[in-house]
Amino acid sequence: MNPTPPPLRETPLLNGATILAAVLAGAIFVADLVTPRGHGIAALYALPLLVGTFSGPPRFQLVAAAVVSVLTVIGAANAPAGLPVNYVLTNRSIALVLIWATAIVLARFRATWLDLQARTKDLADVNFAIDQSAIVATTDTRGRITYINDKFCEISKYTREELLGQDHRLLNSGHHPKEFIRDLWVTIANGQIWRGEIRNRAKDGSLYWVDTTIVPFLDHRGKPYQYMALRYEITARKTSEERLREQEALARLGQMAAVVAHEVKNPIAGIRGALQVIASRMPADSRDKPVVGDIIARLDALNGIVHDLLVFARPRQLRSEPVDLDRLIRNTLHLLHRDPVFANLEVDFPQGEAVGPADAEQLQLVFTNVLMNAAQAMGGHGHIDIAIRRNEAGSRREFVISIADRGPGMPADVREKVFEPFFTTKHRGTGLGLPIARRIVQAHGGEIEIDTPPAGGTTVLITLPAS
Ligand SMILES: Nc1ncnc2c1ncn2[C@@H]1O[C@H](COP(=O)(O)OP(=O)(O)O)[C@@H](O)[C@H]1O
Ligand SMILES: [Mg+2]
């Protein structure tokens, strides 16, 4: 739990300052009595007044002034007999004026001082309250971080030392276009408040969204001398918004897929059949035969795309049963080895046993997509490492299947988008392989992640529940 800010302390009536003031006043009184011609001594009564200015109780000055006034008058009554009355009266009047003038000035000063203290305390309390709820940072005009609160460190996963003096670019996730950032800077540099939603990247690479308000603090010429950013995390909201958008898009895609299935798939099957008939009637040495073969291959590719689209847009219910994942992957590999891109690959996959609840047919699609990507990334030559690891995360038992290739890996901007439907960097890609894989794995209660190890290549990690 966080500590609350310290409360404002009340000054006790009798504290060090009052005691010291009393002792001083007493000493001056005695000195006044025993010094026969020490007429100026009464003026020293201003001293005890000073003592309590910072730490005395409220209205200290006025009470103290009254007390020392009385002492001054008593002192006057004890004046040596030889002194003219006029002289004594003048002397004591001056002392009293001095005492009261000091008291009034000090009382005013003290009131201001207390007010300042209360305001400082107010400010500290407001700061504290903001720190409890918001992610706070201040930067100088060049964008270098000059202050961050604990929440900032928590969410960004950087330590304070790593962030202070750094530029906010350290947290840039590359999501926002240059114009977005430029607009932000132009706004705040002109002394205006900027509001918006920003996606940042934490030290561990994870992404988070923050609702951000940046307030420029202006100097006497109206120019900003520092910026304060107040942020609130909205990652959960953003994720659910994104999911909603995805679902809406999928629903539309589903409708479209139904049309495509009917209007495209069937004619393709018809054309393909007719072409096969034509090809079979051609003489064996006909020069047109390869052309027909090529057309059929293209039609098959088209069919594959339509099929992917249908699988993606209209996922079917899982039919879960105990599945030996090790065997399922070996079967998939066996089937894939018939594909030319796979023919020259070496696969390293130590034998193991891993049985979990799954829909074998759907999972096969996942492994096919991931393995095909690996093979394509390496241009059909190279090495794929597959491993299944058992993991116990609390009460949850799961399998982590890693499929690692030694291809070119993925640049950050590609890696960020690979799960978006239709994102592809390939000439004839559909961009649906990984989105389909993720769909299926998530339906199993698992997760699929991409890792690009520093040593190179791409590793796909698929986590599936063990039981
Ligand atoms: N093993 C990998 N190595 C490098 N890039 C990959 C790998 N797997 C996927 N990708 C990238 O992710 C993109 C999307 O993959 P995917 O969804 O399977 O669609 P597609 O294979 O049709 O392009 C690919 O175009 C490629 O850029
Ligand atoms: Mg693919």
Side-chain angles (χ1 to χ4, degrees), residues 162-181:
E162 285 171 319
L163 285 168
L164 288 178
Q166 288 289 330
D167 200 282
H168 266 290
R169 262 175 281 182
L170 185 66
L171 305 168
N172 189 357
S173 66
H175 174 77
H176 304 284
K178 275 202 183 68
E179 300 77 58
F180 178 87
I181 309 286

Side-chain angles (χ1 to χ4, degrees), residues 211-252:
D211 180 321
T212 304
T213 305
I214 305 178
V215 185
F217 290 177
L218 306 179
D219 62 14
H220 61 279
R221 287 170 306 161
K223 287 237 179 272
Y225 63 91
Q226 88 167 357
Y227 303 112
M228 181 177 240
L230 296 171
R231 300 179 168 86
Y232 293 90
E233 187 177 6
I234 50 164
T235 312
R237 195 193 88 204
K238 279 291 194 188
T239 317
S240 63
E241 273 176 12
E242 198 178 313
R243 203 159 286 165
L244 208 66
R245 262 201 311 276
E246 238 171 52
Q247 275 165 5
E248 279 168 10
L250 275 178
R252 274 199 301 277

Side-chain angles (χ1 to χ4, degrees), residues 369 373 376 426 433:
N369 279 325
N373 280 346
Q376 288 165 347
K426 294 170 194 164

Side-chain angles (χ1 to χ4, degrees), residues 32-320:
D32 190 22
L33 286 188
V34 299
T35 318
R37 295 193 69 86
H39 327 297
I41 284 182
L44 289 178
Y45 280 127
L47 284 180
L49 297 183
L50 270 171
V51 172
T53 301
F54 291 104
S55 49
R59 280 191 286 172
F60 167 87
Q61 271 79 22
L62 301 182
V63 175
V67 172
V68 293
S69 299
V70 173
L71 295 182
T72 308
V73 174
I74 297 173
N78 276 319
L83 284 179
V85 176
N86 260 358
Y87 176 81
V88 174
L89 279 184
T90 317
N91 176 291
R92 294 289 142 165
S93 305
I94 291 174
L96 284 176
V97 168
L98 195 67
I99 286 167
W100 281 98
T102 312
I104 289 166
V105 170
L106 286 180
R108 286 293 288 275
F109 174 78
R110 190 184 155 81
T112 316
W113 166 259
L114 285 178
D115 185 48
L116 198 67
Q117 259 191 332
R119 276 173 205 237
T120 312
K121 158 90 175 119
D122 255 6
L123 211 58
D125 286 353
V126 170
N127 257 341
F128 180 84
I130 294 173
D131 272 347
Q132 292 311 299
S133 73
I135 301 158
V136 186
T138 60
T139 64
D140 63 15
T141 46
R142 280 192 275 173
R144 278 180 314 212
I145 300 172
T146 48
Y147 167 84
I148 44 169
N149 69 350
D150 291 345
K151 277 194 178 303
F152 197 111
C153 296
E154 241 167 71
I155 192 168
S156 70
K157 308 215 166 69
Y158 284 100
T159 63
R160 189 158 273 122
E161 292 70 40
E162 285 171 319
L163 285 168
L164 288 178
Q166 288 289 330
D167 200 282
H168 266 290
R169 262 175 281 182
L170 185 66
L171 305 168
N172 189 357
S173 66
H175 174 77
H176 304 284
K178 275 202 183 68
E179 300 77 58
F180 178 87
I181 309 286
R182 196 173 324 125
D183 168 70
L184 181 163
W185 275 105
V186 168
T187 307
I188 59 176
N190 280 323
Q192 276 156 350
I193 295 172
W194 185 89
R195 286 192 188 86
E197 295 176 349
I198 300 184
R199 195 181 79 170
N200 280 340
R201 186 190 300 283
K203 189 183 179 184
D204 65 355
S206 60
L207 299 165
Y208 61 91
W209 278 92
V210 273
D211 180 321
T212 304
T213 305
I214 305 178
V215 185
F217 290 177
L218 306 179
D219 62 14
H220 61 279
R221 287 170 306 161
K223 287 237 179 272
Y225 63 91
Q226 88 167 357
Y227 303 112
M228 181 177 240
L230 296 171
R231 300 179 168 86
Y232 293 90
E233 187 177 6
I234 50 164
T235 312
R237 195 193 88 204
K238 279 291 194 188
T239 317
S240 63
E241 273 176 12
E242 198 178 313
R243 203 159 286 165
L244 208 66
R245 262 201 311 276
E246 238 171 52
Q247 275 165 5
E248 279 168 10
L250 275 178
R252 274 199 301 277
L253 199 64
Q255 291 163 355
M256 197 182 89
V259 176
V260 168
H262 190 254
E263 304 288 329
V264 178
K265 235 181 141 160
N266 297 347
I268 289 178
I271 296 169
R272 194 182 189 281
L275 279 171
Q276 271 177 327
V277 173
I278 293 172
S280 70
R281 288 187 193 155
M282 282 180 168
D285 58 349
S286 163
R287 277 196 301 161
D288 293 333
K289 213 165 175 168
V291 178
V292 175
D294 197 33
I295 297 174
I296 291 181
R298 297 256 176 127
L299 285 177
D300 285 344
L302 190 58
N303 219 12
I305 294 174
V306 173
H307 178 256
D308 273 3
L309 194 63
L310 280 176
V311 171
F312 182 68
R314 312 165 86 193
R316 68 163 174 77
Q317 277 284 309
L318 285 192
R319 284 192 283 270
S320 201

